[in-house]
Amino acid sequence: MILRRWRNEDLAPFAAINADPEVMAWIGSGPMSIQDSVVYMTRNDSFFDTHGFGLWAVERKTDGQLIGSAGLRRFERPRHPVGSCIEAAWRFAREVWGQGYATEAARAAFIDGFNRCGIKTITSWAPTSNLRSQGVMRRIGMMRRPERDFDAPALPEGHKLRAHVVYTADRASWPAVVPREATA
């Protein structure tokens, strides 16, 4: 796979990913309109200019197809239960789920974030029922932080995605040896 900045031609495939109800089943707001995808893609790309890192477009090497997004972003919501932090996030087309792309992209983002950007701590969270994302978090060496678990404030009591689990990785304790395929 190739992690790169966003291009205009990414909009159609990225909007299709964001409009897929199964992909967006883990996002409380649900599928996105094409206008929402434009805003999301533009904001993600601007993080690179503002912060030196962001969510990359993920392209499959074999055919050049955009298959998702992954990377790090500054989450600046001091009143949110996780507070302000550097968040690891990923979203992939349903047809590539289970093929290791999220794990590979997240490892590459962590290497870049810890080494080039000097980030000290990376945080990620997911609904308690999103076992796939939690699996990625564990595979990339993140540690579960149950004391930081929270209920999503934007979702009503009883909503199936309200309860969230939190994982973190610290530069000082993150696994020093990363498999070569994670950086290729």
Side-chain angles (χ1 to χ4, degrees):
M1 69 175 187
I2 298 168
L3 303 176
R4 60 167 172 76
R5 297 277 302 258
W6 295 87
R7 301 179 190 143
N8 289 337
E9 60 267 24
D10 294 331
L11 178 57
F14 191 57
I17 292 168
N18 292 332
D20 184 329
E22 276 192 70
V23 171
M24 300 303 286
W26 304 110
I27 309 297
S29 57
M32 295 169 70
S33 68
I34 193 161
Q35 295 85 0
D36 290 338
S37 287
V38 168
V39 169
Y40 188 77
M41 189 175 96
T42 303
R43 185 178 58 220
N44 287 338
D45 194 59
S46 72
F47 278 127
F48 288 98
D49 296 327
T50 306
H51 304 293
F53 58 89
L55 295 182
W56 289 302
V58 180
E59 177 183 314
R60 189 168 41 206
K61 274 185 185 179
T62 56
D63 61 7
Q65 180 181 339
L66 179 85
I67 57 170
S69 66
L72 307 175
R73 63 181 169 198
R74 191 172 295 278
F75 184 80
E76 296 178 352
R77 295 189 195 155
R79 293 187 178 164
H80 189 276
V82 295
S84 294
C85 63
I86 303 301
E87 176 191 11
W90 46 84
R91 180 177 303 162
F92 285 87
R94 185 171 16 112
E95 63 267 15
V96 301
W97 287 359
Q99 297 177 33
Y101 289 111
T103 301
E104 183 179 350
R107 278 190 185 125
F110 278 47
I111 291 167
D112 182 59
F114 287 143
N115 295 330
R116 183 182 63 82
C117 301
I119 295 169
K120 290 182 174 42
T121 302
I122 298 171
T123 306
S124 195
W125 54 93
T128 56
S129 55
N130 188 342
L131 301 180
R132 285 182 179 270
S133 279
Q134 291 176 59
V136 171
M137 293 174 206
R138 285 190 303 276
R139 283 190 297 279
I140 61 176
M142 297 188 86
M143 300 299 296
R144 177 90 161 69
R145 301 292 183 220
E147 72 281 3
R148 296 191 61 196
D149 291 354
F150 66 93
D151 289 335
L155 299 176
E157 192 75 38
H159 191 285
K160 68 179 184 173
L161 300 178
R162 190 156 195 243
H164 279 63
V165 294
V166 177
Y167 286 73
T168 64
D170 295 317
R171 182 179 187 196
S173 60
W174 196 62
V177 178
V178 178
R180 171 125 171 77
E181 66 271 9
T183 59

